[in-house]
Amino acid sequence: FKKDKKGVIEFKNVSFRYPDAEEDILTDISFTANAGETTAFIGSTGSGKSTLINLIPRFFDVTKGEILVDGVNIKDVTQHDLREKIGYVPQKGILFSGTIDSNLRYGKKEATEGDINKAARIAQATEFIESKPEKYETEISQGGTNVSGGQKQRLSIARAIAKDPEIYIFDDSFSALDFKTDAKLRKSLKEEISESTVLIVAQRISTILNAEQIIVLDEGKMVGKGTHKEL
Ligand code: ATP
């Protein structure tokens, strides 16, 4: 994958309140997520982790402060251009009806067969894809009911990798994986997408042990920042 990647993300005094809500969900958040590094977000349920990362693809706009990507305010970029830089993997993974191949190709139609195979390999999805009689041509049923939660997550991760983005956002995307698969996946991500900016929301501490930066949220405030050792 390309070596000229950037994708540095800067939060500058970001506060956020959902439309029509009475209170801010995020208060005065500032940090930088560097390219080539993993930034992980932890905190109890409802602390605002998903809300925070959802501001980056502009699912919502900040209420105060600004978010910059490579020095440019994301409000000054078209949503299309912004989202093209981002591989976003939601908690449950999302599959569309169609084949596994078309699902993996969704973010980048021109991906080659080699790109698709490589993405599946990095996402630890090759084995179960190859075990299906139709392999990459296996049809995913409506809503993806013929694949398990963990397989769905891995296919969603493979789709993000096939897109070859500058920024990866994994919102608790490893939760349905067993520990061994989770560990293998993180190892291959570390090796294969090492130039990108990686943001991970995680519940399991093991998932984020090796992150270059861990940000701890509590009730929408940043209460800690550092490596696992420092914290
Ligand atoms: P979890 O670990 O359970 O996923 P989280 O740390 O990711 O939690 P968020 O999902 O960001 O937390 O939620 C933070 C707060 O924002 C919660 O109080 C939640 O009820 C509220 N919230 C989330 N989404 C919306 C929305 N679309 N509209 C209004 N409030 C919302």
Side-chain angles (χ1 to χ4, degrees), residues 57-227:
R58 287 186 65 189
F59 295 147
F60 290 95
D61 279 328
V62 302
T63 310
K64 269 190 224 148
E66 50 189 27
I67 301 174
L68 311 180
V69 171
D70 293 329
V72 178
N73 191 324
I74 57 173
K75 281 187 174 169
D76 298 332
V77 187
T78 65
Q79 221 165 53
H80 174 265
D81 287 353
L82 177 66
R83 291 184 185 172
E84 206 149 76
K85 290 175 185 286
I86 301 173
Y88 174 83
V89 185
Q91 200 161 339
K92 295 221 161 76
I94 294 178
L95 298 178
F96 310 102
S97 38
T99 61
I100 287 180
D101 182 76
S102 67
N103 264 279
L104 298 189
R105 232 170 247 292
Y106 184 80
K108 196 173 190 180
K109 302 278 176 279
E110 69 277 20
T112 65
E113 201 180 322
D115 294 339
I116 296 296
N117 290 340
K118 182 173 180 184
R121 181 174 57 70
I122 297 169
Q124 309 299 311
T126 308
E127 210 173 303
F128 85 81
I129 296 172
E130 300 275 343
S131 75
K132 305 242 180 214
E134 313 260 4
K135 305 193 189 319
Y136 287 83
E137 294 310 314
T138 304
E139 288 285 334
I140 300 292
S141 59
Q142 188 84 38
T145 46
N146 60 339
V147 287
S148 75
Q151 291 170 347
K152 211 185 268 186
Q153 284 188 335
R154 278 176 280 164
L155 291 176
S156 299
I157 292 165
R159 177 197 293 137
I161 296 168
K163 187 178 175 182
D164 192 21
E166 292 164 35
I167 297 166
Y168 284 88
I169 300 178
F170 297 112
D171 189 354
D172 210 3
S173 319
F174 311 117
S175 57
L177 306 178
D178 59 73
F179 281 89
K180 219 172 114 194
T181 308
D182 181 11
K184 271 198 203 157
L185 176 53
R186 278 178 295 104
K187 183 165 179 281
S188 66
L189 284 176
K190 194 109 210 142
E191 289 164 5
E192 304 280 358
I193 62 165
S194 57
E195 311 286 322
S196 304
T197 307
V198 178
L199 305 185
I200 297 184
V201 169
Q203 302 294 346
R204 281 185 205 154
I205 292 295
S206 60
T207 307
I208 55 152
L209 272 184
N210 296 322
E212 277 78 12
Q213 174 170 245
I214 298 171
I215 289 174
V216 189
L217 291 181
D218 182 36
E219 296 187 352
K221 296 188 183 69
M222 225 169 75
V223 294
K225 182 165 77 168
T227 61

Side-chain angles (χ1 to χ4, degrees), residues 18 25 43-52 60 91 171 201 203:
Y18 281 101
I25 292 293
S44 53
T45 171
S47 56
K49 306 178 296 290
S50 299
T51 301
L52 187 155
F60 290 95
Q91 200 161 339
D171 189 354
V201 169
Q203 302 294 346

